[in-house]
Amino acid sequence: MLTLALAGKPNCGKSTFFKAATMANAEIANYPFTTINPNFGVAYVRTRCACTELKVKCTHCVEGNRFVAVNLIDVAGLVPDAHKGKGLGNQFLDTLRQADAILHIIDASGGTDSEGNPVGVGNHDPAEDVKFLGYEMTMWVHGILDKHWTRISRGSQGKGHAIQEGVAETFATLGITFEDVRDIELNLKIDLVHATMDDLIPFCAEIVKISKPMLIIGNKFDEAPEALRAKLAEAKVAFSSAASELALRNAATANVVKYLPGDEEFKVVNEASLSAPQKAGLAKIAGVMKECKGTGVQQAINRAVFELLDMIVVYPVEDENHYCNKQGDVLPDAYLMRKGSTPKDLAFQVHTEIGKGFLYAVDARTKMRIKETHELKNGDVIKIVSAAK
């Protein structure tokens, strides 16, 4: 399953964001390093279910909205010089190895300094935090490369091809390939054979960009002064109010409001039952949602999966005529696949043995047989025919 990580300095609202996205019991407090050990939970991407176009009834969506699970990790807060081991830096950075993409949470309100200490709203420039995580990760990768550089250089005997292979091997756990290393070297016009460690800092920055794509989210949008909002918007920062999302999810669970994660507005179920403070709180949340087109939490998860990671949703079925499995369950599964994936890739994702025994696939919408090299599209409903049972 796909894994997203929440990262950023302490006290920026990561744990609130995590709890809102997963409804897990993460500890939330107003001091640095609330999260010592990483929290692991399940969040969901939201997409329109294929049943809405196929005009069939499916029991796996909510009002035509399909929620597909992804892993979410809330890791320990990061402070300046984390790559040197300051704070919980090494633990933090090692945890990030597991992530396919990173949601970098910053405090848009400017109410916490670079180490996460409360300083009062508007007293810290959150724009300074935007580049902070990328730098720490770059220097972390640079430290790994530095540690192995002598061995890589000696082993290559001055041959460019061999040194590229050595670097790719060192970062294989980050998903870096030989082709990635070659392309970065060409694009940056760096000669790895003769490069110094200082020359390799931009090279390491590119490794981070490829292996850990990042979406920057200005949390605490509802507390942010207008000047800071404008500055962050100019820097293409996405906004969220995790506290608003958490409040809405709790209210929906209590049947106070009707709300689905990702909705741009909510409906009060019984206004007469609300107290004056509850009405005021919901009115404030409604104002935030109007400006943000939602609370920003579900939107951020969707953007990370569908934009940063370029994923699509595909539905495997066993009966292409009724869009169901052998038990008659309509559209029982929804898989996140990388754009460009094929029916054979889907077969392997369903089960290794089904992938190994793959014969062909059928597009359930057209009832046509498709080749194993056919490129799948978002919303495809596919029957896999395999020699494996």
Side-chain angles (χ1 to χ4, degrees):
M1 193 156 67
L2 206 64
T3 298
L4 305 178
L6 298 178
K9 69 184 186 184
N11 210 14
C12 61
K14 287 189 293 90
S15 294
T16 307
F17 192 106
F18 176 82
K19 188 168 184 179
T22 64
M23 291 303 283
N25 292 317
E27 187 180 355
I28 299 168
N30 190 33
Y31 53 84
F33 302 123
T34 302
T35 305
I36 301 298
N37 297 310
N39 291 309
F40 295 88
V42 176
Y44 297 85
V45 291
R46 174 176 168 169
T47 188
R48 201 71 186 147
C49 186
C51 72
T52 57
E53 292 176 38
L54 298 172
K55 309 299 181 190
V56 291
K57 192 168 183 181
C58 141
T59 59
H60 300 279
C61 65
V62 185
E63 297 172 1
N65 296 292
R66 190 74 174 232
F67 290 88
V68 187
V70 295
N71 289 319
L72 190 64
I73 311 175
D74 172 26
V75 295
L78 193 68
V79 297
D81 290 334
H83 67 278
K84 296 177 182 176
K86 189 175 176 184
L88 300 168
N90 291 327
Q91 177 184 330
F92 168 95
L93 293 163
D94 281 339
T95 303
L96 282 185
R97 286 179 186 270
Q98 304 168 54
D100 295 291
I102 297 170
L103 302 178
H104 178 195
I105 311 293
I106 65 171
D107 178 1
S109 77
T112 46
D113 66 17
S114 60
E115 296 194 355
N117 301 301
V119 292
V121 168
N123 288 317
H124 175 75
D125 184 358
E128 292 176 14
D129 300 331
V130 170
K131 295 179 182 177
F132 162 66
L133 180 60
Y135 172 76
E136 289 297 333
M137 291 186 67
T138 294
M139 297 313 294
W140 169 60
V141 167
H142 187 259
I144 294 170
L145 189 57
D146 189 17
K147 184 179 174 183
H148 294 278
W149 191 247
T150 301
R151 174 186 58 79
I152 294 169
S153 297
R154 282 177 184 164
S156 69
Q157 297 180 327
K159 295 175 182 173
H161 184 86
I163 207 166
Q164 290 166 349
E165 284 183 343
V167 173
E169 188 182 305
T170 300
F171 294 112
T173 56
L174 294 180
I176 294 296
T177 64
F178 168 80
E179 289 76 17
D180 290 330
V181 174
R182 181 197 61 201
D183 292 347
I184 295 170
E185 186 180 17
L186 284 170
N187 292 339
L188 293 180
K189 297 182 175 139
I190 292 174
D191 179 3
L192 288 177
V193 174
H194 300 103
T196 66
M197 284 315 299
D198 283 348
D199 294 335
L200 294 174
I201 292 175
F203 179 87
C204 293
E206 291 302 309
I207 285 180
V208 170
K209 283 182 188 175
I210 292 170
S211 63
K212 304 295 173 192
M214 196 182 300
L215 177 66
I216 300 167
I217 303 157
N219 192 37
K220 305 184 187 179
F221 170 83
D222 46 320
E223 300 173 31
E226 189 55 48
L228 292 185
R229 290 183 186 184
K231 191 171 186 179
L232 292 174
E234 207 172 287
K236 308 294 184 195
V237 171
F239 288 111
S240 76
S241 171
S244 296
E245 178 71 15
L246 184 56
L248 280 180
R249 291 208 184 188
N250 285 327
T253 301
N255 203 33
V256 173
V257 301
K258 188 177 180 186
Y259 171 72
L260 269 183
D263 282 354
E264 292 189 11
E265 56 186 24
F266 60 88
K267 289 181 182 174
V268 176
V269 174
N270 183 4
E271 194 164 347
S273 68
L274 297 179
S275 66
Q278 284 177 319
K279 287 179 183 177
L282 288 174
K284 184 181 178 185
I285 291 171
V288 170
M289 294 177 78
K290 192 173 181 181
E291 290 189 79
C292 267
K293 295 186 177 177
T295 69
V297 173
Q298 185 64 57
Q299 289 83 349
I301 294 167
N302 273 29
R303 280 187 63 184
V305 172
F306 295 127
E307 293 179 25
L308 287 190
L309 296 174
D310 218 13
M311 306 297 278
I312 58 173
V313 178
V314 182
Y315 304 82
V317 295
E318 293 175 274
D319 180 341
E320 72 272 31
N321 295 308
H322 300 97
Y323 313 109
C324 62
N325 61 15
K326 287 176 183 173
Q327 290 74 42
D329 191 4
V330 174
L331 300 175
D333 298 301
Y335 283 85
L336 286 166
M337 307 284 297
R338 286 202 180 273
K339 203 173 278 184
S341 294
T342 66
K344 193 166 186 179
D345 294 328
L346 177 63
F348 271 105
Q349 189 144 333
V350 171
H351 197 283
T352 305
E353 293 305 312
I354 290 174
K356 287 179 181 175
F358 180 89
L359 298 173
Y360 63 91
V362 176
D363 183 332
R365 292 176 186 269
T366 64
K367 318 302 179 199
M368 301 286 288
R369 185 184 290 201
I370 51 178
K371 295 179 182 177
E372 66 176 66
T373 55
H374 174 85
E375 189 172 311
L376 297 172
K377 302 185 299 298
N378 188 53
D380 272 354
V381 182
I382 303 294
K383 175 184 178 177
I384 297 162
V385 179
S386 171
K389 291 184 180 179

